[in-house]
């Protein structure tokens, strides 16, 4: 008994040290890492709160709008994100303590410590759509474990599980895979509770309904992006499958995955609980494997299922095995920390040497965006609006400029928030300044201005470019650029009812507006 108490105290101390150490590391990263393009883009969602946005449901926009009350500094905006994995680690410990025998409690604390030293846990400080997604997914899984273990009153836990799942769905559509996993578990291994997925769905329904309503009145922008536009031209092969399998093994760590799979079973753990944990991470990853047959699966897609994988490993593995995994995972984190340091703080001169020299111009832009904005503002023509050629620099410039920076041109399928909020008619006859990474072709701009000039902006040895257009001509811009946008990004399938589409209604594109011709 004394020996067991000693091991438990040591496990708790390791967890506490890991918790405090990784939290301090995340605070430091959040305060000092340069603002990224995606963060700057989502920041604008918080500046213009809405019921939904171009690419994804609205939760991260709502979160940023709330965080902006504390300020616009990177630390303030990232303050919620840096707490997410720390809170999830506490949830992992709580679930394991409830389901492990008292003699194995040290495994609960060690599993939580392993999760905290995973590179993707302590690196999780940037505020993106994954911030609320991963938090609400983890909370939903926690509630599902409570529901499955409850002899009475389980319906309330299943309902809470569904509400949290609905909030995750309002963060990102990947949350639906977790709902499918709940149904697979209940109907496959908990048939006496075949009703449970319907209760979960009832809890999630308000979030789902809100998103469907927004899409119906906004040209199905989330559906067009996630289902159609981003997947156009996507093809799968053995390479996409192999990449996914390698990425998944790397994300979960080969040692923890191998130890968990080869373990004969968790001592003293109910087989029912082991099945819950196994299904909730294996089923979604199996679905991702099917997706990889058709397209590339992003690493961040899998992040939300890592916590329940760690719970599964904690149920199956002994404390010594988890301690070994902690050391191995800590070693894995070291090169990741070095890479983060290189990106954020290494002298820019380091980026002038091969093979980093190919990224030098982007490194300069990331580090020196405030200086670039200052140069752009210094001689900005009177009444001119600053724009950019693509969404990433537009978002970065806007964050430091203090004003929204639209994209001048068709852009790509990513980040079409301009279609929701920008009205190019208001710029008719006005001056516009466009920032570009590369030297522009005058022919790409001349049809849309009465006159224009091009100049070079050099910083740290990198040439950026500026187009100053006088007398913006809206009509040719509408007939050529905006018409192309309507064709390429607003080709809404006929089976989706269009109750509203701000972009197409604003510019008079009847084929994607309410009342569009039958057969479109």
């Amino acid at each position: 008994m004394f020996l067991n108490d000693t091991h438990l105290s040591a496990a708790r101390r390791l967890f506490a040290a890991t918790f405090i150490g990784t939290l301090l590391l995340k605070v430091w990263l959040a305060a000092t890492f340069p603002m990224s393009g995606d963060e700057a883009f989502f920041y604008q969602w918080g500046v213009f709160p809405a019921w939904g946005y171009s690419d994804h449901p609205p939760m991260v926009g709502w979160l940023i709008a709330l965080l902006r009350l504390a300020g616009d500094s990177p630390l303030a905006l990232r303050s919620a994100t840096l707490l997410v994995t720390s809170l999830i680690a506490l949830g992992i410990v709580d679930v394991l303590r409830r389901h492990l025998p008292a003699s194995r409690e040290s495994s609960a604390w060690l599993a939580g410590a392993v999760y905290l030293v995973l590179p993707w846990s302590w690196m999780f400080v940037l505020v993106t759509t994954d911030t609320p997604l991963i938090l609400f997914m983890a909370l939903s899984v926690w509630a599902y474990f409570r529901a499955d273990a409850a002899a009475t009153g389980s319906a309330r836990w299943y309902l809470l599980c569904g509400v949290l799942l609905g909030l995750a769905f309002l963060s990102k559509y990947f949350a639906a895979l977790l709902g499918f996993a709940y149904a697979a578990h209940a109907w496959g291994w908990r048939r006496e509770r075949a009703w449970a997925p319907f209760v979960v769905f009832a809890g999630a329904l308000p979030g789902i309904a809100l998103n469907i309503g927004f899409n119906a009145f906004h040209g199905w922008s989330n559906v067009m992006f996630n289902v159609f536009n981003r997947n156009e031209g996507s093809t799968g092969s053995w390479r996409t499958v192999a990449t996914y399998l390698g990425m998944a093994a790397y994300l979960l760590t080969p040692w923890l995955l191998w130890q968990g799979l080869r373990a004969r079973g968790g001592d003293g753990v109910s087989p029912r609980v082991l099945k819950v944990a196994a299904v909730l991470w294996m089923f979604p990853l199996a679905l991702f494997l099917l997706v990889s047959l058709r397209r590339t699966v992003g690493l961040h897609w899998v992040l939300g299922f890592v916590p329940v994988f760690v719970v599964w490993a904690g149920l199956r593995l002994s404390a010594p095995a988890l301690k070994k995994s902690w050391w191995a995972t800590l070693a894995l984190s070291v090169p990741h920390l070095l890479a983060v340091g290189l990106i954020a703080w290494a002298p820019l001169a380091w980026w002038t040497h091969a093979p980093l020299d190919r990224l030098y111009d982007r490194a300069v832009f990331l580090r020196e965006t405030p200086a670039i904005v200052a140069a752009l503002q210094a001689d900005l023509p009177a009444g001119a609006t600053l724009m950019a050629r693509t969404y990433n620099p537009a978002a970065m410039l806007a964050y430091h400029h203090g004003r929204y920076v639209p994209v001048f041109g068709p852009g790509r399928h990513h980040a079409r928030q301009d279609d929701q909020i920008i009205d190019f008619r208001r710029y008719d006859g006005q001056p516009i300044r466009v920032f570009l990474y590369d030297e522009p072709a005058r022919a790409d701009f001349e049809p849309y201005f009465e006159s224009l000039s091009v100049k070079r902006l050099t910083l740290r040895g990198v040439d950026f470019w500026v187009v100053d257009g006088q007398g913006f001509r809206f009509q040719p811009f509408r007939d050529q650029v905006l018409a192309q946008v309507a064709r390429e990004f607003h080709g809404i399938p006929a089976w989706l009812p269009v109750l509203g589409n701000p972009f197409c209604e604003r510019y008079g594109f009847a084929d994607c507006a309410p009342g569009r011709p039958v057969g479109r």
Side-chain angles (χ1 to χ4, degrees):
M1 184 68 178
F2 175 77
L3 184 61
N4 185 61
D5 288 345
T6 301
H7 289 162
L8 179 57
S9 297
R12 286 174 172 169
R13 288 195 300 271
L14 180 65
F15 175 83
T18 307
F19 186 93
I20 295 171
T22 54
L23 183 59
L24 291 175
L25 175 60
K26 288 186 290 183
V27 170
W28 178 54
L29 290 174
T32 60
F33 196 85
M35 182 66 68
S36 69
D38 280 353
E39 286 182 292
F41 174 71
F42 296 129
Y43 169 80
Q44 297 300 326
W45 291 13
V47 175
F48 300 96
W51 292 110
Y53 300 94
S54 57
D55 294 1
H56 297 292
M59 188 60 69
V60 73
W62 298 348
L63 173 65
I64 293 173
L66 181 63
L67 294 173
R68 289 189 68 233
L69 298 177
D72 291 331
S73 70
L75 180 58
L77 297 174
R78 295 165 173 165
S79 58
T81 305
L82 67 88
L83 294 174
V84 167
T85 52
S86 298
L87 294 174
I88 290 175
L90 294 174
I92 289 171
V93 172
D94 180 72
V95 170
L96 289 173
R97 290 184 70 200
R98 292 176 185 277
H99 295 290
L100 287 171
S103 60
R104 292 189 56 206
E105 184 183 342
S106 56
S107 290
W109 297 99
L110 291 170
V114 169
Y115 176 75
L116 286 170
V117 293
L118 286 168
W120 312 112
S121 293
W122 59 261
M123 290 170 64
F124 194 71
V125 297
L126 306 185
V127 56
T128 69
T129 50
D130 295 306
T131 296
L133 171 74
I134 292 174
L135 174 62
F136 288 121
M137 282 180 62
L139 290 173
S140 180
V141 168
W142 176 84
Y144 191 85
F145 272 102
R146 297 296 301 271
D148 188 76
T152 59
S154 60
R156 289 176 295 178
W157 284 108
Y158 283 122
L159 186 64
L160 175 61
C161 170
V163 170
L164 294 167
L165 181 63
L167 296 176
F169 184 84
L170 281 176
S171 306
K172 216 166 186 178
Y173 287 164
F174 292 142
L177 295 184
L178 183 58
F180 296 151
Y182 293 151
H185 171 259
W187 294 338
W189 292 272
R190 207 67 157 98
R191 293 178 183 175
E192 71 277 16
R193 292 190 178 181
W195 50 267
F198 298 101
V199 178
V200 172
F201 180 75
L205 188 58
I208 296 171
L210 173 62
N211 183 253
I212 292 174
F214 168 82
N215 274 274
F217 284 94
H218 291 80
W220 297 99
S221 59
N222 294 171
V223 175
M224 293 304 299
F225 170 71
N226 289 286
V227 179
F228 298 105
N229 295 335
R230 75 184 305 183
N231 295 313
E232 186 175 350
S234 295
T235 57
S237 68
W238 66 267
R239 289 184 179 86
T240 57
V241 175
T243 299
Y244 165 70
L245 291 174
M247 177 270 295
Y250 179 64
L251 192 65
L252 303 176
T253 73
W255 40 89
L256 198 60
L257 185 60
W258 174 249
Q259 286 177 319
L261 290 174
R262 69 189 296 265
R264 295 185 177 181
D267 294 337
V269 179
S270 165
R272 175 184 54 78
V273 175
L274 284 168
K275 288 174 182 175
V276 175
V279 172
L280 294 191
W281 77 268
M282 289 183 180
F283 186 82
L285 264 66
L287 292 180
F288 280 135
L289 179 60
L290 294 177
V291 173
S292 72
L293 296 172
R294 298 296 304 273
R295 59 156 298 156
T296 301
V297 174
L299 181 145
H300 63 288
W301 295 15
V302 184
L303 281 178
F305 301 98
V306 173
V308 71
F309 163 77
V310 175
V311 168
W312 172 81
L315 292 170
R316 293 177 64 84
L317 297 181
S318 65
L322 287 167
K323 184 69 174 293
K324 290 180 181 178
S325 284
W326 184 87
W327 280 109
T329 309
L330 181 65
L332 177 65
S333 290
V334 173
H336 289 81
L337 184 58
L338 294 176
V340 169
L342 174 65
I343 295 171
W345 308 292
L348 281 171
W350 288 19
W351 291 83
T352 60
H353 304 290
L356 299 177
D357 55 327
R358 293 178 301 157
L359 302 173
Y360 178 65
D361 57 341
R362 296 302 186 263
V364 170
F365 183 78
L366 178 69
R367 299 273 196 92
E368 301 292 345
T369 310
I372 292 172
V373 169
L376 292 171
Q377 290 175 330
D379 61 347
L380 187 68
T385 300
L386 180 62
M387 298 189 185
R389 197 61 167 158
T390 54
Y391 91 91
N392 188 289
M396 292 283 285
L397 295 175
Y399 176 73
H400 296 281
H401 183 46
R403 298 179 185 177
Y404 192 87
V405 175
V407 172
F408 188 91
R412 297 183 63 244
H413 59 267
H414 281 98
R416 302 219 56 86
Q417 189 63 13
D418 285 14
D419 295 353
Q420 303 293 334
I421 64 175
I422 293 299
D423 187 345
F424 276 95
R425 295 175 299 183
R426 67 182 293 268
Y427 304 117
D428 194 29
Q430 296 185 10
I432 292 176
R433 166 167 283 186
V434 184
F435 171 87
L436 302 94
Y437 284 137
D438 304 311
E439 185 174 4
R442 294 179 65 94
D444 292 340
F445 295 88
E446 287 176 338
Y448 314 121
F449 295 99
E450 294 175 3
S451 63
L452 62 83
S453 61
V454 177
K455 73 173 185 177
R456 190 194 320 255
L457 175 62
T458 302
L459 187 68
R460 299 277 189 145
V462 176
D463 291 335
F464 301 104
W465 298 86
V466 176
V467 172
D468 279 320
Q470 297 294 325
F472 174 62
R473 295 170 173 167
F474 167 74
Q475 194 59 45
F477 189 80
R478 183 265 184 204
D479 295 341
Q480 297 178 45
V481 175
L482 298 180
Q484 178 186 348
V485 169
R487 289 192 305 271
E488 293 186 1
F489 307 118
H490 293 268
I492 304 166
W495 50 270
L496 284 173
V498 178
L499 304 182
N501 188 336
F503 176 85
C504 294
E505 293 177 75
R506 183 184 306 129
Y507 301 122
F509 297 121
D511 286 347
C512 50
R516 58 184 174 164
V518 177
R520 173 74 174 95

